[in-house]
Amino acid sequence: LLTQQLESIATTPMNEAVILLLEARIRGREDQQYKQSIILFKEAINKINSLRDPQSLTLQFVIHDGLSSLHTVLKQDTQALYHYKRYREIAYQLRNDYFIAQSETALGKYYTGRNQLAKALQHHSEAYRISNRLNYPVIQAKTQFQLSRAYRDLGQWDEALKNANEAAISFQKLGYEALQSKAMTVIAMVYANQEQWNKAIDYYLNAQQLDEKNNRQLAQALNFHNIGEAYLHMMNYDSAVNYLQMANDIFRQKNILHYLVYNELLFAQVMSEESLW
């Protein structure tokens, strides 16, 4: 209703582009009509593509962010990368460090998803470096958290632990418990990769307590799964089954089948270790 009312008073290409942007978001978020959202986003960008004033560039920045995310969801890598790069180019055109840090992080995540880990680290490192020029602790902590994940994926354990610990402390000070939990999970994964199972379980449990406090059920289930895996490697099969069952219950309740597959496979592994064919 509001976008229809806005259409009646829109007089400039900027006005029209904003309305198209809003309609695209509504289609994507409410009905998951991603292809229709892309069409609307592209109509919006065409309205203002030739404009170079700061306001128009800022709106272009926002639209390219939306397009890159949608193409990523649809597994359209070539189109996604084009929009991620435009997103970053406009941030540098605007000389806005906040935007630059966001766009570098977005490209880092893109390359992580395609297992191009060296490129991912390059962009996450730049995002963190830029964020340190800002008087904005939240984005500093977020970029450092992403950097810790990049180091974890590359197997650079010391750097991963250093950055994840510092990010966790920052999130705790800021009161961002959901992100603090995620940073603790990265720390746990680093210890798990080094087969330091007791340390891994400690951090998974600390993360799980934060998730339980904030009623983040999916995050709890993922940590239950990870704890179950750690107990499997410690040959504590009863504890492994207990935690895997708690994870299974949540995955089934939420109907999240892709995680349920991994959990059932881990169940099977526990049973085979005990010769319960």
Side-chain angles (χ1 to χ4, degrees):
L1 177 62
L2 283 169
T3 54
Q4 286 170 5
Q5 291 172 344
L6 286 168
E7 280 175 3
S8 67
I9 58 171
T11 57
T12 67
M14 274 289 292
N15 295 159
E16 293 168 356
V18 168
I19 293 164
L20 287 163
L21 165 68
L22 293 171
E23 289 177 348
R25 284 179 168 173
I26 291 166
R27 298 285 177 88
R29 292 186 180 186
E30 298 224 338
D31 305 314
Q32 288 74 56
Q33 295 181 36
Y34 299 133
K35 290 181 180 177
Q36 186 61 32
S37 289
I38 287 172
I39 291 168
L40 291 166
F41 271 123
K42 287 185 175 177
E43 285 182 29
I45 203 80
N46 288 337
K47 294 278 184 186
I48 57 171
N49 220 12
S50 61
L51 303 178
R52 290 292 174 266
D53 60 283
Q55 188 181 19
S56 300
L57 285 171
T58 300
L59 185 56
Q60 289 173 41
F61 175 82
V62 172
I63 294 169
H64 282 295
D65 179 26
L67 282 166
S68 60
S69 300
L70 285 164
H71 283 299
T72 299
V73 168
L74 293 172
K75 309 293 184 187
Q76 296 170 343
D77 287 358
T78 302
Q79 298 96 316
L81 183 57
Y82 168 78
H83 290 291
Y84 278 122
K85 287 183 174 179
R86 285 292 295 132
Y87 181 53
R88 179 174 174 269
E89 286 167 9
I90 294 169
Y92 279 97
Q93 278 181 261
L94 288 164
R95 298 181 182 178
N96 183 312
D97 283 345
Y98 180 83
F99 286 177
I100 292 168
Q102 281 188 309
S103 63
E104 293 285 3
T105 295
L107 263 171
K109 288 181 179 178
Y110 171 85
Y111 285 121
T112 298
R114 276 117 208 108
N115 206 35
Q116 297 182 45
L117 301 180
K119 284 186 177 180
L121 177 61
Q122 177 187 338
H123 287 289
H124 285 308
S125 297
E126 186 63 8
Y128 180 55
R129 187 185 71 80
I130 296 289
S131 74
N132 284 323
R133 301 205 299 239
L134 296 165
N135 183 24
Y136 197 179
V138 174
I139 199 166
Q140 289 171 339
K142 285 181 177 180
T143 54
Q144 188 167 31
F145 167 64
Q146 295 296 340
L147 184 60
S148 72
R149 295 175 74 179
Y151 280 123
R152 177 202 64 192
D153 294 341
L154 282 163
Q156 297 185 26
W157 310 128
D158 290 345
E159 286 295 332
L161 284 175
K162 172 183 173 293
N163 285 285
N165 272 301
E166 289 177 6
I169 291 166
S170 297
F171 289 137
Q172 184 178 24
K173 288 178 182 175
L174 291 162
Y176 281 58
E177 289 186 336
L179 290 170
Q180 183 188 351
S181 164
K182 288 184 177 182
M184 286 181 168
T185 300
V186 170
I187 296 167
M189 287 178 170
V190 170
Y191 284 128
N193 276 293
Q194 297 178 90
E195 298 186 3
Q196 298 184 47
W197 302 113
N198 284 316
K199 283 186 178 180
I201 287 170
D202 283 345
Y203 276 96
Y204 283 135
L205 286 171
N206 285 333
Q208 191 274 324
Q209 286 172 0
L210 289 172
D211 294 328
E212 184 177 7
K213 176 182 171 184
N214 291 284
N215 197 32
R216 299 180 66 242
Q217 288 189 305
L218 178 55
Q220 286 183 68
L222 291 170
N223 275 318
F224 288 150
H225 171 88
N226 291 331
I227 293 166
E229 183 179 27
Y231 277 125
L232 163 63
H233 288 290
M234 294 172 72
M235 293 185 288
N236 184 340
Y237 301 124
D238 288 344
S239 293
V241 167
N242 183 39
Y243 278 99
L244 290 174
Q245 187 59 56
M246 288 192 286
N248 244 33
D249 291 344
I250 295 173
F251 292 145
R252 286 190 184 282
Q253 177 194 340
K254 300 287 186 184
N255 197 32
I256 303 174
L257 300 183
H258 57 294
Y259 286 142
L260 189 60
V261 168
Y262 288 109
N263 210 57
E264 291 287 357
L265 284 170
L266 205 51
F267 253 130
Q269 196 175 336
V270 173
M271 298 307 165
S272 66
E273 290 285 331
E274 295 189 277
S275 299
L276 296 171
W277 306 113

